[in-house]
Amino acid sequence: MHPADLIPPSKTLEVDSLAKKLIAEKKDVVNLTTGEPDFPTPRPIVEKAIEALNSGFTKYTDSNGILELRQAISNYLLEKKGVNFSADEIVVSNGGKQALYNAFRSIVKEGDEVILFAPLWVSYAPQIQMCGGIPKIIQTKFEDNFEPKIEEIEKNITEKTVAIVVNSPSNPTGAVYKKETLEAIADLTNRKGLFVISDEVYDDLVYEGKHVTMQGLVKDELLIYINAFSKSHAMTGWRIGWSATKNEKVKKRISKIQGHVASNINSITQKAGIAACSTDNNYMIEEFKKRREFVIQKAEEIGLRYVKPQGAFYLFFETPYDDNEFCKKLLGEKLVAIVPGSAFEAPNFARLSFANSLENLEKGFRRLKEFLGK
Ligand code: PLP
């Protein structure tokens, strides 16, 4: 069988297609499904792209990304996040998504296992399967803030295990792992010699405390760090993310994979990325904070059983019955679109994105309240 045939079709297709149909019919749908900031890309970034176009910066570049960009990312990581990678250790890719795929490709061989924690982002398992690997999904619990238990991880490690993916803050739950949990995961993977692929694309969006990076916890040669400007700088459509590792062998593989699969990312986006490194995004974070307060208040008011979003821009809550049914009915009857938890291996939950205006959130929650008869 071809590895791509192993990827199951989306479990939320029905809700998805109903939402698309209603939106196409111009119905007054409050769409709270999106995984992207609703803000326009900041002006300085756009200006830099226009300048690149006007100056004819439209040819192939170094497939790792131009040095000026990698150097800018290196400085940005250090100054803003205390994360230390040199320009040589960074490969720029088409979003965090391709950076992740390159990372899996560089370490996963046929039959290798990669440990994932559910609820999880939709593309990890398919990407691993496309590499011939086997995703080993560990279910985490609502009661544990959807953080994994070390004993559970240990039980799932076999001689085939090569890596663990950590995604904190998490999409879809909005959970931010406690520092002790991250330390315990690192301690385990360091002892067992497993790679950690740390997906930190939501690191700027932490509402309580400070983001804890896996760098410094995981041994340098075992860490593949992933980040992107998509969520932090409202640049989802530009396609810019990167992987970084101090493991030279892995870096070389990633670099070759990037080169042969895609060459460089869009040259204009690269220039825009340089501007992103020095563009303040605090105003977006402040706005997300207000929305988060609002959705928490509403969730309390309606009596939802939910995870308090400590990061990212999602409210993850339990549905009173089957999540697909619930989301389909909510959409059909009240024109509010949210994503069934089954999409993230979390049946009986749903994900509501607060990357939307307060006005729309107000409207969405009013309808949700009516729908629940509260
Ligand atoms: N990782 C997580 C957890 C995400 O939610 C996403 C996007 O939804 C990505 C990675 C990929 O982001 P990008 O748009 O940069 O490819």
Side-chain angles (χ1 to χ4, degrees):
M1 194 192 281
H2 188 277
D5 292 335
L6 292 169
I7 301 165
S10 163
K11 290 176 192 149
T12 61
L13 228 54
E14 250 187 308
V15 183
D16 240 27
S17 51
L18 178 60
K20 286 197 182 105
K21 180 174 164 277
L22 292 170
I23 292 167
E25 286 169 3
K26 302 251 183 303
K27 292 268 164 58
D28 180 26
V29 175
V30 180
N31 187 359
L32 304 179
T33 62
T34 49
E36 62 182 350
D38 53 320
F39 304 101
T41 303
R43 207 55 218 166
I45 301 176
V46 175
E47 294 295 343
K48 187 85 176 176
I50 294 170
E51 191 185 304
L53 260 176
N54 285 336
S55 68
F57 191 73
T58 54
K59 301 286 167 66
Y60 287 134
T61 73
D62 179 341
S63 59
N64 292 330
I66 53 174
L67 180 59
E68 191 190 356
L69 170 63
R70 285 181 289 114
Q71 193 55 61
I73 291 174
S74 166
N75 296 343
Y76 158 81
L77 289 177
L78 191 61
E79 282 159 25
K80 181 144 192 218
K81 306 173 193 286
V83 168
N84 180 1
F85 288 106
S86 71
D88 273 351
E89 293 162 347
I90 295 169
V91 175
V92 181
S93 299
N94 289 288
K97 191 173 262 190
Q98 197 204 356
L100 281 159
Y101 186 60
N102 290 354
F104 290 128
R105 265 283 167 217
S106 72
I107 56 170
V108 176
K109 296 189 302 306
E110 183 78 32
D112 284 349
E113 294 172 1
V114 178
I115 290 179
L116 302 171
F117 308 126
L120 43 66
W121 179 56
V122 293
S123 291
Y124 296 134
Q127 289 196 348
I128 293 161
Q129 286 172 306
M130 285 192 279
C131 297
I134 300 162
K136 268 286 213 44
I137 299 176
I138 297 178
Q139 289 293 336
T140 60
K141 293 201 184 90
F142 176 87
E143 295 74 24
D144 299 329
N145 190 39
F146 288 117
E147 290 187 36
K149 291 257 186 257
I150 296 305
E151 315 83 73
E152 272 299 303
I153 306 176
E154 206 147 10
K155 267 196 272 171
N156 279 279
I157 294 174
T158 71
E159 71 279 6
K160 289 281 188 191
T161 310
V162 289
I164 294 186
V165 176
V166 175
N167 173 220
S168 172
S170 153
N171 174 11
T173 65
V176 171
Y177 290 5
K178 288 190 283 295
K179 184 154 191 246
E180 303 86 80
T181 305
L182 297 171
E183 283 170 345
I185 295 173
D187 180 55
L188 177 64
T189 50
N190 287 343
R191 264 192 293 122
K192 302 268 183 188
L194 302 175
F195 283 102
V196 170
I197 298 182
S198 187
D199 178 349
E200 302 187 19
V201 300
Y202 289 99
D203 63 346
D204 273 7
L205 298 168
V206 172
Y207 306 110
E208 286 173 18
K210 266 190 77 167
H211 171 72
V212 178
T213 174
M214 281 308 248
Q215 189 182 53
L217 304 183
V218 175
K219 281 184 189 165
D220 277 344
E221 70 268 25
L222 292 174
L223 178 68
I224 308 182
Y225 170 92
I226 306 290
N227 215 325
F229 288 129
S230 308
K231 317 286 177 179
S232 62
H233 289 72
M235 290 184 75
T236 45
W238 297 73
R239 311 311 300 138
I240 179 165
W242 59 90
S243 56
T245 179
K246 292 189 184 294
N247 182 320
E248 240 178 275
K249 211 158 128 187
V250 172
K251 149 73 208 293
K252 276 191 187 137
R253 290 180 191 158
I254 290 179
S255 177
K256 282 192 265 188
I257 296 163
Q258 176 68 34
H260 289 295
V261 171
S263 299
N264 56 278
I265 72 157
N266 182 308
S267 58
I268 297 147
T269 293
Q270 293 189 54
K271 289 285 189 179
I274 295 169
C277 291
S278 57
T279 298
D280 179 37
N281 61 352
N282 269 314
Y283 67 96
M284 293 192 241
I285 298 164
E286 289 306 313
E287 193 57 37
F288 279 129
K289 277 186 190 161
K290 282 187 218 152
R291 296 167 181 186
R292 170 185 179 260
E293 289 304 320
F294 177 81
V295 299
I296 290 176
Q297 185 206 324
K298 290 291 168 189
E300 289 288 335
E301 211 177 289
I302 309 178
L304 296 177
R305 190 165 181 254
Y306 69 102
V307 188
K308 194 167 168 196
Q310 298 155 295
F313 37 64
Y314 306 109
L315 180 79
F316 203 62
F317 65 92
E318 199 175 48
T319 53
Y321 46 92
D322 177 83
D323 54 311
N324 275 302
E325 282 307 309
F326 178 84
C327 293
K328 211 166 68 183
K329 262 183 99 177
L330 174 65
L331 181 58
E333 291 177 21
K334 292 288 176 192
L335 297 177
V336 176
I338 56 175
V339 185
S342 297
F344 316 106
E345 301 290 333
N348 292 322
F349 280 88
R351 189 193 77 176
L352 180 154
S353 164
F354 55 89
N356 212 316
S357 67
L358 275 174
E359 195 188 341
N360 279 337
L361 290 169
E362 170 84 56
K363 200 155 132 185
F365 271 97
R366 203 180 328 118
R367 294 180 187 180
L368 179 59
K369 190 174 170 182
E370 283 166 15
F371 181 69
L372 290 168
K374 301 273 176 163

